[in-house]
Amino acid sequence: MDLKILKQAMKKHTFQDVQFDKSKQQAVHKKIQQLVSIEDLKSVLLGLTQTERSGFDLTELLHMRGEQAIIQNEGLLYQCLHELEAAELINGLWKNGEKVYFLSKKGQKQLELTQRPIGGVKWNALYSK
């Protein structure tokens, strides 16, 4: 089947009732920005967990940096920490009733990749603000 015919058929039948107005476009752009900021936040967290830090310490550091994703939603920090922990990029350990996070060996390798110059730019600037 020709792709042009398929596209025309889908436009005629599948997307017939779909309205993609300005507000929906803006909502999609906002979600994309959030996804990008989440990945940036994870990169920042890798850098910040080179030394052992609690979630509270990380929140304070990110607030001081003016990280909008955290200021708007502090729960996002813990979501990212859990994802990084599940991916074995950081380790979490309970000390004195507080969970602290630190970079794993796998996380160190990942961090080194982000520190390599790309086009003459070192990307570790993400967390060295």
Side-chain angles (χ1 to χ4, degrees), residues 6-120:
L6 176 61
K7 185 177 177 180
Q8 288 172 349
M10 288 183 70
K11 190 174 184 177
K12 188 175 182 180
H13 299 286
T14 307
F15 299 114
Q16 179 178 344
D17 297 325
V18 176
Q19 297 290 327
F20 202 69
D21 60 11
K22 192 74 167 173
S23 66
K24 287 184 182 176
Q25 288 177 7
Q26 290 171 341
V28 168
H29 286 291
K30 185 176 180 180
K31 284 288 185 190
I32 290 170
Q33 288 172 339
Q34 287 173 346
L35 291 175
V36 170
S37 67
I38 289 171
E39 291 309 310
D40 288 346
L41 177 60
K42 287 179 185 177
S43 295
V44 169
L45 288 171
L46 285 179
L48 292 175
T49 55
Q50 289 181 83
T51 57
E52 198 174 272
R53 300 185 194 269
S54 69
F56 180 78
D57 293 336
L58 291 166
T59 301
E60 282 188 329
L61 285 168
L62 293 168
H63 272 275
M64 287 189 306
R65 289 172 45 99
E67 292 292 337
Q68 289 301 312
I70 293 302
I71 291 170
Q72 295 170 359
N73 179 6
E74 287 186 10
L76 182 61
L77 169 73
Y78 292 96
Q79 175 188 338
C80 290
L81 287 170
H82 291 298
E83 288 175 16
L84 290 170
E85 197 173 4
E88 299 177 350
L89 295 172
I90 63 172
N91 294 314
L93 179 67
W94 287 95
K95 281 189 173 180
N96 302 324
E98 182 177 54
K99 191 167 186 179
V100 292
Y101 300 91
F102 54 95
L103 201 58
S104 68
K105 287 184 181 185
K106 184 177 175 181
Q108 182 63 43
K109 288 178 185 176
Q110 180 66 34
L111 187 60
E112 287 169 7
L113 289 174
T114 63
Q115 290 181 335
R116 288 189 183 157
I118 301 172

